[in-house]
């Protein structure tokens, strides 16, 4: 999966390198959209380049440059001061960005500060804050689509309660590793538990198998994100520091569940304020299928959120669905019988499977056409 797709065909500029390359090659910015690029040191280029019809979203620039591009007919949306996030961002988050200042405690990180801002403005009912959240989430969706274009994405869903140090967690990590090694892009809900384990497995994919074994041992010293998110996240960064060239995967978490931090093993993090947008987007982008590990209400909801478009074929041909844990999905939470009943005599019937062990999931996914 590429770190970032080029945008010269769709006229979006999301980095200083893209800005310089566009100005050099085209000698015009007319009609372009420039997102969250610091143009403070590009005054000469802005003053001498046609910017008619361009849109500058959250781009710092000097006053004379801003006046000139506005006179050209460009629209300039300057950065919003004192926000703990950039609503106009052109790229997805990285773990290093969200967990910056972690040594000072999780509360000091941009992730925690964005959640605190969300809680405050949500309570205030401020329409301006609501607009900023919507712009941010749309920008994240745009960046996510650009990143995943042309990739085979498998979603891995499961509960946040799965603790590090358990065999269930290790199995989910091995699943993520096997999927990544098979050429899939692993996508999860981006949180702790089963989600973190699958992202960890994808991170471990380029290394030998002993790396994952040792990583699991290191992580087990902080089994859950309670009582200390700082300790939990610090253990993950200890693994990342020891093995810095991990594989890529995607996490799609939300500040709606702000008590639940994102995990540090997804290389690209699409974090949303709106949970509904996040959940639908995660499933819609899992084009090669979804593996559902044992979970509770949230995972049950995701199963049927995925089953509905497969039932109606509203997104085209049904995509594979693999449920892991026969006893869990037939006895504890008997979801499988209902899914079977829905699928009967429809195209999706050949695209669902129930397996008992995590190790069976990749084979089932392949049989179903993932």
């Amino acid at each position: 999966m590429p770190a970032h797709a080029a945008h010269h065909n769709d006229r979006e500029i999301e980095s200083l390198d893209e800005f310089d390359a566009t100005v050099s090659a085209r000698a015009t910015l007319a009609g372009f959209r420039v997102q969250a690029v610091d143009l403070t040191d590009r005054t000469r280029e802005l003053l001498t380049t046609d910017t008619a019809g361009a849109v500058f979203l959250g781009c710092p620039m000097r006053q004379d440059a801003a006046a000139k591009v506005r006179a050209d007919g460009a629209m300039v949306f300057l950065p919003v001061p004192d926000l703990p996030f950039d609503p106009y961002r052109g790229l997805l988050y990285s773990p290093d960005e969200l967990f910056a200042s972690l040594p000072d405690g999780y509360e000091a990180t941009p992730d925690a500060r964005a959640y605190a801002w969300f809680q405050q403005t949500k309570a205030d009912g401020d329409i301006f804050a609501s607009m900023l959240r919507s712009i941010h989430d749309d920008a994240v969706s745009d960046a996510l689509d650009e990143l995943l274009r042309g990739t085979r994405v498998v979603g891995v869903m499961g509960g946040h309660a799965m603790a590090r140090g358990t065999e269930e967690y290790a199995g989910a990590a091995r699943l993520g590793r096997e999927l990544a090694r098979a050429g899939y892009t692993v996508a999860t809900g981006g949180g702790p538990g089963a989600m973190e384990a699958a992202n960890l497995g994808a991170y471990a994919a380029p290394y030998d198998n002993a790396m994952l074994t040792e990583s699991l041992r290191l992580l087990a010293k902080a089994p859950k994100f309670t009582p200390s998110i700082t300790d939990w996240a610090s253990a993950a960064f200890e693994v990342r520091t020891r093995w810095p060239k991990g594989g890529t995967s995607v996490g799609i978490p939300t500040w709606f569940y702000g008590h639940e931090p994102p995990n540090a093993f997804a290389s690209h993090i699409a974090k949303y304020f709106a949970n509904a947008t996040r959940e639908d987007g995660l499933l819609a982008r899992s084009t090669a299928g979804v593996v559902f590990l044992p979970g509770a209400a949230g995972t049950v909801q995701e199963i049927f959120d995925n089953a509905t478009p497969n039932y109606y074929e509203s997104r085209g041909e049904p995509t594979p669905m693999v449920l892991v844990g026969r006893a869990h999905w037939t006895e504890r939470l008997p979801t499988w019988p209902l899914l079977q009943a829905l699928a009967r005599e429809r195209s999706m019937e050949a695209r669902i499977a129930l397996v008992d062990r995590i190790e069976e999931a990749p084979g089932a996914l392949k049989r179903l056409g993932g």
Side-chain angles (χ1 to χ4, degrees):
M1 181 172 57
H4 181 52
H7 303 290
H8 297 297
N9 291 333
D10 57 12
R11 306 182 77 80
E12 292 181 12
I13 296 174
E14 296 164 352
S15 71
L16 202 55
D17 286 343
E18 284 188 339
F19 179 88
D20 291 340
T22 302
V23 170
S24 175
R26 296 173 177 260
T28 181
L29 292 169
F32 275 79
R33 278 79 174 106
V34 189
Q35 285 180 257
V37 179
D38 189 344
L39 300 176
T40 307
D41 295 330
R42 294 298 185 272
T43 300
R44 180 179 62 83
E45 288 80 0
L46 292 170
L47 291 176
T48 58
T49 303
D50 179 22
T51 58
V55 180
F56 295 87
L57 297 165
C59 298
M61 62 180 71
R62 301 193 187 280
Q63 287 187 358
D64 52 345
K68 182 267 179 186
V69 300
R70 285 193 177 103
D72 279 352
M75 296 184 69
V76 179
F77 295 83
L78 292 174
V80 180
D82 302 322
L83 274 184
F85 64 94
D86 183 353
Y88 302 115
R89 62 181 305 111
L91 306 176
L92 298 182
Y93 292 98
S94 70
D96 288 335
E97 181 181 0
L98 285 177
F99 284 103
S101 305
L102 182 64
D104 297 326
Y106 173 70
E107 294 74 15
T109 66
D111 186 64
R113 290 189 291 111
Y115 175 61
W117 176 91
F118 178 37
Q119 289 297 99
Q120 177 185 345
T121 57
K122 184 175 65 172
D124 292 345
D126 183 356
I127 186 62
F128 180 58
S130 177
M131 182 191 74
L132 292 174
R133 293 195 296 269
S134 296
I135 292 171
H136 169 274
D137 285 3
D138 191 66
V140 167
S141 291
D142 181 61
L144 187 58
D145 286 338
E146 290 165 356
L147 178 76
L148 296 179
R149 191 174 295 146
T151 62
R152 297 164 68 215
V153 180
V154 171
V156 178
M157 311 298 168
H160 68 264
M162 185 183 288
R164 296 167 173 175
T166 63
E167 180 51 38
E168 291 79 10
Y169 184 96
R174 290 192 293 269
L175 170 65
R177 183 178 65 185
E178 185 166 346
L179 291 172
R181 287 177 174 175
Y184 295 109
T185 295
V186 173
T188 78
M195 297 171 280
E196 180 189 55
N199 287 128
L200 167 64
Y203 187 89
Y207 292 96
D208 61 26
N209 290 351
M211 176 270 183
L212 180 56
T213 301
E214 180 63 10
S215 296
L216 292 169
R217 185 189 68 79
L218 292 172
L219 291 171
K221 65 186 181 183
K224 295 190 175 185
F225 64 91
T226 55
S228 173
I229 295 176
T230 302
D231 291 347
W232 175 84
S234 296
F237 278 97
E238 181 180 348
V239 170
R240 288 172 51 92
T241 299
R242 185 164 173 180
W243 294 280
K245 297 182 179 179
T248 59
S249 67
V250 176
I252 308 181
T254 174
W255 279 294
F256 183 81
Y257 298 127
H259 64 284
E260 183 179 291
N263 78 72
F265 292 111
S267 56
H268 301 82
I269 301 176
K271 190 150 192 180
Y272 288 89
F273 289 105
N275 185 50
T277 303
R278 165 252 191 176
E279 287 188 342
D280 183 68
L282 172 55
L283 293 167
R285 291 175 176 87
S286 296
T287 51
V290 182
V291 177
F292 297 92
L293 301 177
T299 310
V300 171
Q301 178 181 340
E302 289 164 344
I303 289 172
F304 291 105
D305 280 346
N306 196 45
T308 300
N310 281 347
Y311 179 89
Y312 290 111
E313 299 187 40
S314 56
R315 294 177 183 150
E317 186 178 348
T319 52
M321 299 176 65
V322 179
L323 276 62
V324 177
R326 191 173 302 276
H328 185 85
W329 295 121
T330 60
E331 298 173 17
R332 296 187 191 95
L333 295 173
T335 303
W336 174 250
L338 178 54
L339 185 62
Q340 275 189 309
L342 280 172
R344 192 168 295 125
E345 298 182 355
R346 303 186 76 88
S347 298
M348 68 179 286
E349 188 172 20
R351 292 299 187 95
I352 64 172
L354 173 67
V355 299
D356 203 38
R357 297 180 299 113
I358 285 179
E359 290 75 15
E360 300 174 79
L365 192 68
K366 187 175 182 179
R367 289 193 304 274
L368 298 177

